[in-house]
Amino acid sequence: MKRKIKTSTLYLISAFAIASVAAIGGTALLTSQDLGEDAAEIVVYKTPTCGCCTNWVGHLRRNGLNAKVVNMPSTEPIHERLGVPHELGSCHTAKVGDYWVEGHVPADLVQRLITEKPGDIRGIAVPGMPMGSPGMEGPNPVEYEVIAYGTDGSKSVYATRQGQSTPQ
């Protein structure tokens, strides 16, 4: 035996469904607008035992960046896959959008890369592990360069920074 559903009940159910979808969609839109470019996910590839890498991830997060960590036995396969030159290598590699970020690059420069989206850069790097760079804070911080690696294989100074003795 079939039951008839009143037209008014159908309208009520339809209105509720539409309102629910609109509310969910509006919330998702609001959230993505609020997060803006800061919401760009950064995937950090590191070895599980590296403390300075963990400190660098903390630096990114404290500065509003969304960092996901992938622990692996070695970062060499990532260097090869992304095309990070050996001479720019460090202890961890990150991927954000179409770019790679190698080593202890300050969060504001990662944000600058995300925001500016330069077409002639494949990645930026802080080669080695300079004392005072993010994740390597401590006594006797040094000035260091952040190197841009161009799509044509060229290298240039993206920024110069003075190291810090305490985390930023």
Side-chain angles (χ1 to χ4, degrees):
M1 168 190 217
K2 290 186 180 180
R3 286 180 47 182
K4 281 192 167 185
I5 299 175
K6 289 183 181 180
T7 304
S8 61
T9 304
L10 285 176
Y11 285 130
L12 183 60
I13 292 170
S14 297
F16 178 74
I18 290 168
S20 296
V21 169
I24 292 168
T27 302
L29 181 61
L30 177 65
T31 302
S32 64
Q33 286 175 342
D34 287 345
L35 294 175
E37 289 296 328
D38 289 348
E41 183 175 71
I42 301 169
V43 180
V44 180
Y45 300 92
K46 66 178 209 58
T47 60
T49 58
C50 187
C52 67
C53 297
T54 301
N55 293 342
W56 184 70
V57 170
H59 165 75
L60 294 178
R61 290 175 177 161
R62 281 191 306 280
N63 286 277
L65 295 167
N66 181 17
K68 174 185 171 190
V69 174
V70 176
N71 285 312
M72 50 195 328
S74 169
T75 57
E76 280 305 311
I78 296 298
H79 290 165
E80 290 174 23
R81 189 179 95 207
L82 299 178
V84 178
H86 181 72
E87 66 272 15
L88 296 182
S90 187
C91 55
H92 57 264
T93 304
K95 178 91 168 80
V96 57
D98 294 330
Y99 306 100
W100 48 259
V101 177
E102 181 68 18
H104 296 267
V105 175
D108 68 303
L109 296 179
V110 175
Q111 184 63 51
R112 177 178 149 197
L113 185 70
I114 294 167
T115 302
E116 293 178 358
K117 296 178 178 53
D120 59 343
I121 292 178
R122 289 182 63 196
I124 56 176
V126 172
M129 298 166 65
M131 184 54 79
S133 59
M136 291 291 298
E137 297 88 351
N140 307 312
V142 299
E143 186 176 87
Y144 61 94
E145 293 180 336
V146 179
I147 306 299
Y149 185 70
T151 54
D152 62 355
S154 64
K155 297 178 198 90
S156 61
V157 176
Y158 191 70
T160 302
R161 289 296 168 84
Q162 176 58 49
Q164 303 293 315
S165 57
T166 59
Q168 303 298 307

